Amino acid sequence: MKKQYLWFIILSFLVIGCELEQLPEATTSRAAVFGSPQGLELYTNSFYTMLPNGNGSTTRDAMSDYLAVKEIPTFLQAAFAPTNSSGWDWGDLRNINYFLKFNTDPAVPVAVRNNYNGIARFFRAYFYFNKVVRFGNVPWINKPLSVSDTLILYGGRDSRTLVMDSVLADINYACQNITSTSDATRSLVTKYVAYALKARICLFEGTFRKYHTELNLTSSANTWLTEAAAAAKAVMDAGIYSIYTAGGTTKAYRTLFTNTTPIASEVMLAAVMDLTLNELHDANWAYTSGTYWVKGSFIRSFINTYLKDDGTPFTNTAGWQTMLFKDEVKGRDKRLQQTIRLGDYKRLSNGALIPAPPLFTYTFTGYQPIKWTLDDMYYDTRDLNNNSVALFRYAEVLLTFAEAKAELGTLTDAEWAATIGVLRSRAGITGGLSTLPTVVDPYLKATYFPEITSPVILEVRRERGIELCLEGFRFADILRWKRGELMKMEWNGFYVPELKTPMDLNEDGKMDVVFYQGTKPSPALSGVEYVNVSATVGTSQNSQRLKNDTYGELTWMNNLTRTWNDRNYYYPIPATDLITNPNLGQNPGW
């Protein structure tokens, strides 16, 4: 993230980070840091390394229900065990707690100290929220530990209620005490970024408690959902942000993810790239390489959830099951063409724009992502991307408000229009923008959320999945909705009517791909990809097949098993950490 990189000059004054089970070390010479606003600013800048950088943000959905990838994630394999787990690191927390303990110098005005304490507590809330999402119960520690704190260093974990109540207190303090209301660079935490984080945290906790009835915390779920709605409303009422619409329905959405500088009207906090500082990311390399990343490809089941442009479900269309790729992508939510390669999508190569249909070198399903990539092949090798990466967006705030109110059963027509309606309008959808939905979409319910009977909740979840796809929210959403079974969804692709028949995927008059079994057709057509969907290739079982052998939807890795059990709603405490401190106890099932 582009911010003040001078914070490294104070590292000699900072406490040394440590694991929770490591003995902490003390430090000296604090006056130079805590005795001036400049010192406080430099110290708090060190917290920003906790946020995802460009690379970490564009590929965080590698483990989600809507992406097929080249290997089954280890977490979804039966052999996954505490020895494979990670994430039990506490150095960032010690850094924050050290700051909060010693930010007491009377030479700095109280309001200034409180502002920087607010930033510190924003990051402590962020830190603990991520720990709870990953592990469930964790120890709550609000001071830098000393060598004498053996009861804490080797103690057990605290209850979820204690930890999350403490997180709520931290983020409330941040909302009340951070003085900056808007940062033009969109690279610094402000009061309303804090409100956005509060909304995110409270929505997660409220829905997690509602749907995870085994916790016996359902009675407090609505309290958290009410807090989520109120925090989101605070951002909405501030009047600082709005949904970006410049460029119209076919360009505005994707511009948010390809622009070099953050689109300040909608982006609240971003990882900002800077070529002079060599702060770049690798989205193009990840999404246009068959070997570098996981070759992430959207599955057809998810693509089916994109509405038609009149606001009706695509799966209400007669014959959708056998519709060809070139036809199924027409007349749809305009975010679809800004999320995957389709139609007349083109890329720059040596100064010339050339058609760029889905390439099976890079996709398993035919639904190849473009959301984070730049349309110039120059960026396809290594980490060269200079487009900023949004970490908090106003669209998420609107979705949080809508979902919290829908879960509470209090979302009104006017609130629907101001949230879901606004987002769908940007996407070129013309119907159902001003009134709450009253009819359940049978496909969405049966495929994704069979236990949900409310058409409002179903549609809000549809919208969240589409609007925020590839932004790193999906796995946490699956956890809080208690829909882990979605992680076992079939990795399916577009429909192939027959073998050895060339397909023109973008209707430019040139054939793009041929699917075959056995011997590759000869003579081969120039510029056409040939994809072998035989049961075996050589001596190995082939993972790229057609559902009905010689026709049907593409499938990927149907021959391998993905595992999901209730224990997967939390990661196990890593084995090495549990050996060091057995009092932590292991999560159930691990």
Side-chain angles (χ1 to χ4, degrees), residues 104-177:
T104 58
D105 196 318
V108 180
V110 172
V112 175
R113 279 186 274 137
N114 289 347
N115 168 65
Y116 288 108
N117 281 342
I119 293 172
R121 292 181 72 168
F122 169 95
F123 280 102
R124 189 165 68 183
Y126 179 84
F127 172 90
Y128 261 109
F129 171 57
N130 288 327
K131 281 288 185 285
V132 170
V133 170
R134 189 171 180 87
F135 295 111
N137 294 352
V138 293
W140 173 257
I141 301 167
N142 60 0
K143 67 175 186 176
L145 301 183
S146 67
V147 292
S148 62
D149 289 316
T150 55
L151 291 178
I152 300 176
L153 285 167
Y154 300 105
R157 293 185 276 169
D158 290 303
S159 69
R160 186 184 190 101
T161 53
L162 185 151
V163 173
M164 290 308 297
D165 285 349
S166 301
V167 167
L168 183 59
D170 269 353
I171 197 61
N172 278 339
Y173 183 95
C175 293
Q176 294 159 10
N177 288 278

Side-chain angles (χ1 to χ4, degrees), residues 231-246:
K233 191 66 162 56
V235 179
M236 295 161 66
D237 289 346
I240 297 172
Y241 307 101
S242 61
I243 294 301
Y244 179 72
T245 58

Side-chain angles (χ1 to χ4, degrees), residues 16-24 87-94 97 127-128 131 137-147 149-158 573 577-578 580-581 583-584:
I16 298 173
C18 65
E19 297 300 316
L20 186 58
E21 295 80 17
Q22 292 175 330
L23 295 180
W88 195 260
D89 49 280
W90 299 84
D92 286 330
L93 177 63
R94 179 167 173 79
N97 284 341
F127 172 90
Y128 261 109
K131 281 288 185 285
N137 294 352
V138 293
W140 173 257
I141 301 167
N142 60 0
K143 67 175 186 176
L145 301 183
S146 67
V147 292
D149 289 316
T150 55
L151 291 178
I152 300 176
L153 285 167
Y154 300 105
R157 293 185 276 169
D158 290 303
I573 307 302
D577 297 290
L578 194 58
T580 303
N581 180 12
N583 290 324
L584 292 172

Side-chain angles (χ1 to χ4, degrees), residues 440-453 458 483:
V440 165
D441 174 4
Y443 177 87
L444 186 64
K445 178 178 169 62
T447 307
Y448 282 92
F449 309 113
E451 296 182 356
I452 301 298
T453 59
L458 283 169
R483 287 295 296 137

Side-chain angles (χ1 to χ4, degrees), residues 204-218:
F204 180 91
E205 191 63 12
T207 48
F208 200 95
R209 293 186 185 201
K210 178 175 180 177
Y211 293 105
H212 286 264
T213 55
E214 74 280 0
L215 296 178
N216 295 317
L217 295 174
T218 53

